[in-house]
Amino acid sequence: MPYFLTLYFQTVHGYSAMATGLAFLLPAVVVAVGTQAGERAVSAFGVHRMLVAGMGLGAVGAAALGLALTSDGSYPALLPGIVLLGLGQGAAWAGMWISAFAGVAPADQGIVSGLASTTLQTGGSVGLAVLVALAGGAGQSASGTGLLDGIRTAVLVIAGGIGCGALALFALRRVTGTSGP
């Protein structure tokens, strides 16, 4: 998401590097709040419910953000999507790390951290490559409305991917919850 928002801010709206950096301050704070809320939600509702809810919230936020990306749009118009996505993303990250370390012996925490971090970075790299290719194909142009169409398409695909992940996680719990004693 940061890659596509940077393109949107700088190329579509002409933000400077400083203005773009400032535009990312609020999302960073909201993600941090989401991680704290996610940690508390795991204690109250369990990791599975919190992950499904966090991913669902993130999907709604990404969809709202994608729909708000317009050539004449303002930063305040992006805020509902940014806030929902950031809260959901932060909560889901907290749940992901809690899940990764659940039941792991203290002596194995380092290797698990390395594996989880590597998986996260690899998935992000491959995902970005696919989304950039998709955005380039959807936009057909490196500037103007073509670029905006490509950015919007990528963000909406991100929303769909997060939503599908939330649905799969929800379904997985139902399947595994009914098959065991």
Side-chain angles (χ1 to χ4, degrees), residues 14 50 69 93 152 170:
M50 193 282 311
L69 297 173
W93 279 349
R152 188 179 308 111
F170 178 75

Side-chain angles (χ1 to χ4, degrees), residues 30-96:
V30 173
V31 168
V33 169
T35 61
Q36 297 302 308
E39 180 184 353
R40 289 185 184 93
V42 165
S43 296
F45 305 108
V47 71
H48 183 264
R49 286 184 179 150
M50 193 282 311
L51 277 169
V52 171
M55 290 176 70
L57 185 63
V60 169
L65 185 58
L67 296 173
L69 297 173
T70 62
S71 61
D72 59 349
S74 64
Y75 187 79
L78 303 177
L79 291 180
I82 286 173
V83 169
L84 293 175
L85 175 61
L87 288 174
Q89 182 179 12
W93 279 349
M96 177 196 73

Side-chain angles (χ1 to χ4, degrees), residues 89 92-93 96-97 112-128:
Q89 182 179 12
W93 279 349
M96 177 196 73
W97 290 108
V112 169
S113 176
L115 286 171
S117 294
T118 300
T119 301
L120 180 66
Q121 295 302 318
T122 302
S125 299
V126 171
L128 180 59

Side-chain angles (χ1 to χ4, degrees), residues 75-172:
Y75 187 79
L78 303 177
L79 291 180
I82 286 173
V83 169
L84 293 175
L85 175 61
L87 288 174
Q89 182 179 12
W93 279 349
M96 177 196 73
W97 290 108
I98 290 168
S99 294
F101 291 102
V104 175
D108 295 329
Q109 295 282 321
I111 190 74
V112 169
S113 176
L115 286 171
S117 294
T118 300
T119 301
L120 180 66
Q121 295 302 318
T122 302
S125 299
V126 171
L128 180 59
V130 169
L131 289 166
V132 167
L134 178 71
Q140 300 297 317
S141 170
S143 62
T145 58
L147 176 64
L148 180 57
D149 289 345
I151 292 169
R152 188 179 308 111
T153 298
V155 171
L156 292 174
V157 167
I158 290 168
I162 297 169
C164 287
L167 289 173
L169 188 58
F170 178 75
L172 177 68

